[in-house]
Amino acid sequence: MSNSFGTLFRISTFGESHGPGIGVVIDGCPAGLAVNVADIQAALNRRRPGQSELTTPRSEADQVEVLSGLFEGQTTGTPIGLFIRNADQRSHDYSHIQNAYRPSHADYTYDQKYGHRDYRGGGRSSARETAARVAAGAVAMQLLQHYGIQVRSYVSQVGAVAVPVGYEQLDLGLIDSNLVRCPHPETAERMAELIRQTRDRHDTVGGIITGVATGVPAGLGEPVFDKLHAELGKAMLSINAVKAFEYGSGFAGTLLFGSEHNDAFYTDEAGQVRTRTNHSGGIQGGISNGQDIYFRVAFKPVATILQPQQTINNQGEAVELAGRGRHDPCVLPRAVPIVDAMTALVLADMLLRARASRV
């Protein structure tokens, strides 16, 4: 189903940007898992609009309501229902696009697929839907933490401003130390200034988020179609504004010879199997090998810009259109918890599938 994701740890999201609210049903979460609702709220707070000068001024508390599946702080094994009410809606901000197609939005394609669309903020195509994923991902994250797995993402590039070192050389504890969510303070300042300048020009800017998962055991992933990196790629490419995904050495690996790119195995002093390099990004044959999993996700500039643009309406007539309302000049800072969530959902699902695949 197009509104569901996962196999054993499965989520289904519902709701629209300007409806009463959005929500998610999580099915397959094991019983007896201690879940801290405050952690779910903390994840939503990182994604919510209106959190800083660099994000959209739409003000949503994004207060999570638990409808089912938790009792006395633990999962019951039944579906977990989470709901987030919409509060700060201004549907009139979108009346001018009722019959017009915004450049690089889903307006035209939704009309072609369904013959009818909710033009208020894009309906289901709005990035507001991702709040439901973040709520579900926060539950998945607590399952992973139970097994010693940690997921962290950070902004590694905004426009042409990029972090000059890899994740291994960064203190990832600094991710939330600045508005951009970049753990390299000097670069974070340059990124923030670029976003401000872009906003003041009524334009938008894209960039890259790097994701890292540590403590992942060997053996997660399926050998053919549901390879771990394929599922991660699908998860990331389902996020609004994502244009590309690469893991491990990615495209840069094409510049190396096999003798340079191969990750040689060895046994460390603790008797653990390790690799001397990690060009594979912690995944080989579609299955985790116990090393860090790392990847990069490219986000395009936000499509809504507060500048006049030429387009057409649903009658094929040429019209001029300028964005209205409240929009992010750069989606990267708020997208970090979304990347975290989708990573956690994939790993939680693969963890349960791995546990079911052998005695």
Side-chain angles (χ1 to χ4, degrees):
M1 293 181 290
S2 62
N3 297 296
S4 300
F5 181 80
T7 301
L8 295 185
F9 193 104
R10 187 171 181 83
I11 70 166
S12 296
T13 70
F14 61 90
E16 292 83 31
S17 172
H18 286 240
I22 52 178
V24 62
V25 177
I26 307 168
D27 207 357
C29 186
L33 175 70
V35 171
N36 187 345
V37 177
D39 287 348
I40 302 176
Q41 189 60 54
L44 286 167
N45 291 345
R46 296 178 78 216
R47 194 222 70 98
R48 70 177 178 83
Q51 61 183 270
S52 83
E53 59 161 318
L54 302 182
T55 66
T56 169
R58 176 172 176 170
S59 180
E60 292 283 2
D62 281 355
Q63 190 69 42
V64 66
E65 301 177 28
V66 180
L67 304 182
S68 64
L70 296 181
F71 181 67
E72 295 181 340
Q74 294 188 343
T75 56
T76 61
T78 58
I80 300 170
L82 304 175
F83 187 62
I84 305 157
R85 297 184 187 276
N86 292 331
D88 187 18
Q89 302 159 305
R90 296 183 186 175
S91 299
H92 58 81
D93 283 344
Y94 300 91
S95 58
H96 66 299
I97 64 162
Q98 181 174 358
N99 299 311
Y101 298 136
R102 294 170 294 174
S104 288
H105 280 78
D107 302 337
Y108 172 74
T109 52
Y110 264 57
D111 258 359
Q112 292 303 299
K113 181 173 179 64
Y114 299 109
H116 181 62
R117 66 182 171 91
D118 183 349
Y119 61 86
R120 304 166 303 165
R124 281 292 282 171
S125 70
S126 169
R128 179 134 186 81
E129 180 271 340
T130 60
R133 307 189 198 193
V134 169
V139 176
M141 197 80 74
Q142 294 181 62
L143 176 62
L144 296 179
Q145 290 168 352
H146 180 77
Y147 290 95
I149 301 171
Q150 186 171 22
V151 172
R152 289 173 292 189
S153 306
Y154 63 93
V155 176
S156 54
Q157 185 169 332
V158 173
V161 179
V163 174
V165 296
Y167 77 91
E168 310 94 330
Q169 302 175 59
L170 296 171
D171 178 359
L172 299 186
L174 297 176
I175 291 173
D176 284 307
S177 67
N178 54 73
L179 301 182
V180 187
R181 295 205 166 95
C182 170
H184 192 267
E186 179 182 337
T187 305
E189 291 180 10
R190 294 169 55 210
M191 289 175 172
E193 184 56 29
L194 175 58
I195 295 172
R196 292 187 189 99
Q197 293 173 0
T198 302
R199 177 198 60 201
D200 292 344
R201 295 196 308 268
H202 301 300
D203 213 336
T204 59
V205 64
I208 295 173
I209 289 177
T210 294
V212 182
T214 57
V216 180
L220 303 194
E222 302 298 320
V224 184
F225 296 111
D226 291 354
K227 289 178 166 62
L228 180 53
H229 59 270
E231 292 300 294
L232 283 170
K234 176 183 178 181
M236 299 307 148
L237 290 165
S238 74
I239 300 172
N240 306 63
V242 169
K243 300 297 289 184
F245 167 83
E246 66 174 12
Y247 75 102
S249 62
F251 286 100
T254 64
L255 304 177
L256 302 177
F257 292 102
S259 56
E260 299 171 304
H261 192 270
N262 286 344
D263 296 321
F265 289 103
Y266 73 99
T267 304
D268 66 17
E269 294 179 355
Q272 299 296 313
V273 174
R274 309 286 297 171
T275 58
R276 299 195 182 278
T277 55
N278 191 17
H279 299 302
S280 300
I283 304 170
Q284 293 169 328
I287 300 171
S288 62
N289 65 5
Q291 312 310 300
D292 292 351
I293 294 172
Y294 67 96
F295 55 86
R296 304 203 311 161
V297 188
F299 286 77
K300 71 176 183 179
V302 176
T304 299
I305 60 175
L306 304 182
Q307 297 181 21
Q309 299 181 90
Q310 298 302 312
T311 187
I312 63 171
N313 60 23
N314 56 11
Q315 300 301 311
E317 301 165 334
V319 296
E320 184 177 83
L321 198 63
R324 298 179 188 172
R326 303 154 296 170
H327 304 280
D328 291 278
C330 177
V331 73
L332 275 296
R334 293 178 58 213
V336 165
I338 305 171
V339 171
D340 283 345
M342 295 309 296
T343 305
L345 289 169
V346 170
L347 293 178
D349 189 40
M350 288 299 185
L351 181 68
L352 296 184
R353 293 172 70 172
R355 288 167 57 84
S357 66
R358 58 183 293 179
V359 295

